[in-house]
Each structure stands twice: as C-alpha cells, then as structure tokens.
Amino acid sequence: LLYLFGYIAYFLPIAFPYGVWLLTKHHDEEEFQYDSLVWRGLGFLLALISSCGLAALHYPHLYTEAPYSGGGIFGTAVALGLV
C-alpha cells in the first residue's frame, strides 16, 4: 500500500473502520440506500487519489530508498497531470 498510495497509506487503517462504523451506525433504518453508498465510495476514492497527488507535490523524495515520491504511484501519476 505504501508504494501505491505513499504516506496516505498510513491513514487507510483508520479510515476504513471508521467508514464501516458510520455505515453500520444507522442499522435501524428500514431500507439500505445503495445509491448513497456508491456516491460516498466514489467521493472517498476521489479524495484519496487527490490527496495522493497533493502529497506527491508537497513531499518529494524524502528518503532515497523509496522509488516514488510521498504520494506513491497514484500520487506521481496525478502530480504529473497537475504540473
């Protein structure tokens, strides 16, 4: 995950359980809305990819062992499109 998402990968073990908790918090509703789940998932993916791009622009190679910048592979691809 570190190579794909860069330093943002350290946030993922916190973000996924929190998202699952938010989904299951309102389990007493009668009907589960799948369209809301799709839009929230799409928004999370866009926020993840854009944060990887910003991390790649803000944290260039901090240490020499990593083949990619602070944003990982996705961040490098997005940063090349931004610059």
Side-chain angles (χ1 to χ4, degrees):
L1 286 177
L2 188 61
Y3 285 136
L4 284 176
F5 300 113
Y7 292 120
I8 306 302
Y10 292 118
F11 176 69
L12 293 179
I14 298 168
F16 282 126
Y18 179 69
V20 170
W21 177 73
L22 284 178
L23 283 175
T24 59
K25 184 172 70 168
H26 299 291
H27 66 283
D28 57 346
E29 293 181 7
E30 297 173 4
E31 182 177 320
F32 189 73
Q33 298 175 355
Y34 289 104
D35 56 346
S36 173
L37 179 66
V38 169
W39 286 112
R40 287 181 184 190
L42 183 63
F44 177 76
L45 286 177
L46 288 175
L48 179 68
I49 298 292
S50 63
S51 63
C52 288
L54 290 174
L57 289 174
H58 187 68
Y59 304 117
H61 297 281
L62 292 179
Y63 54 95
T64 58
E65 292 86 21
Y68 296 101
S69 64
I73 295 172
F74 290 139
T76 303
V78 171
L80 289 175
L82 291 175
V83 176

